[in-house]
């Protein structure tokens, strides 16, 4: 049996987002930067190649600027019936919180894609962070969460976020900000 690496889970979703981000840049509507984890080079090789390892935990996937708004964004893809809070590492949740505290026009976003439901949601961190932190406190104390409090159903995602078409998250994000 071949062992699978989960490092590239969601890679197709991120490729889809990269195409959308290119369209935003061409249209001049937003500028998005991919933020990969820092790497430590172990060995330089010929042809500009190198052997490296990640040197720490990665930040959220993207930074974006659109007019007066700035975004820090994490893209997540899931296949289950519910989106589990465990998919968002605590260091990324903390970074999104810090980003939002910097300025009233700084927003944390989750770009959540469900393959099971063939749906995509944009969720503002301001609308999720309290529930996520309640779950994280229980997890840190090794207490079990009450049923339904460690994940979100599509209906719950609809209630706190907005569905968007494909990877076109920007109109949905701007609509949520105006709410």
């Amino acid at each position: 049996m071949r062992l699978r690496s989960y490092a590239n889970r969601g890679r197709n979703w991120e490729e889809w987002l990269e195409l959308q981000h290119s369209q935003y840049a061409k249209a001049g509507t937003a500028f998005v930067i991919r933020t990969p984890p820092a790497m430590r080079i172990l060995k330089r090789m010929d042809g500009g190649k190198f052997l490296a390892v990640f040197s720490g935990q990665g930040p959220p996937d993207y930074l974006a600027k659109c007019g007066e708004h700035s975004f820090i964004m994490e893209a997540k893809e899931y296949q289950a019936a519910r989106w589990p809070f465990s998919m968002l590492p605590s260091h990324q949740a903390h970074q999104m919180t810090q980003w939002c505290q910097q300025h009233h026009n700084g927003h944390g976003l989750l770009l959540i894609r469900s393959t099971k439901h063939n749906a995509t949601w944009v969720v503002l961190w301001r609308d999720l962070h309290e529930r996520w932190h309640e779950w994280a406190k229980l997890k840190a104390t090794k207490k079990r969460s009450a049923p339904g409090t460690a994940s979100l159903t599509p209906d719950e995602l609809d209630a706190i976020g907005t569905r968007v078409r494909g990877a076109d998250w920007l109109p949905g994000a701007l609509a949520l900000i105006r709410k």
Side-chain angles (χ1 to χ4, degrees):
M1 178 169 82
R2 186 171 170 229
L3 296 176
R4 268 183 72 184
S5 167
Y6 290 97
N8 287 323
R9 255 191 314 191
R11 189 70 204 138
N12 289 336
W13 173 223
E14 290 177 4
E15 288 171 1
W16 201 5
L17 285 164
E18 295 293 332
L19 291 172
Q20 184 65 55
H21 296 160
S22 295
Q23 291 177 348
Y24 290 160
K26 286 177 189 174
T29 55
F31 183 73
V32 183
I33 298 172
R34 176 85 166 102
T35 54
M39 300 182 89
R40 184 170 52 94
I41 296 175
L42 300 175
K43 179 180 175 183
R44 294 190 186 280
M45 300 157 69
D46 294 336
K49 295 180 183 178
F50 56 87
L51 178 64
V53 294
F54 292 119
S55 63
Q57 297 174 320
D61 294 321
Y62 303 98
L63 297 176
K65 183 75 172 133
C66 174
E68 65 188 41
H69 301 288
S70 63
F71 301 95
I72 189 167
M73 305 179 298
E74 179 62 18
K76 295 296 183 190
E77 185 174 41
Y78 73 104
Q79 298 174 3
R82 301 171 65 96
W83 179 73
F85 289 161
S86 60
M87 286 190 79
L88 180 65
S90 59
H91 72 279
Q92 291 178 339
H94 179 69
Q95 289 170 341
M96 283 197 289
T97 298
Q98 286 183 312
W99 182 273
C100 295
Q101 290 171 346
Q102 292 295 312
H103 192 269
H104 72 281
N105 285 334
H107 308 281
L109 286 181
L110 287 168
L111 309 174
I112 300 174
R113 172 91 186 124
S114 169
T115 55
K116 180 179 180 79
H117 304 289
N118 191 27
T120 304
W121 291 269
V122 174
V123 177
L124 286 171
W125 182 239
R126 73 175 187 205
D127 298 329
L128 177 61
H129 76 93
E130 286 181 22
R131 187 164 169 190
W132 187 93
H133 282 294
E134 287 173 19
W135 166 82
K137 284 179 194 173
L138 283 175
K139 183 181 172 210
T141 60
K142 299 189 190 298
K143 292 182 182 175
R144 188 163 171 83
S145 300
T149 62
S151 59
L152 296 172
T153 65
D155 288 341
E156 291 170 313
L157 286 166
D158 285 336
I160 64 169
T162 189
R163 287 189 194 219
V164 296
R165 185 178 174 141
D168 190 10
W169 59 267
L170 186 56
L174 295 174
L176 287 172
I177 290 167
R178 288 189 289 268
K179 257 186 177 180

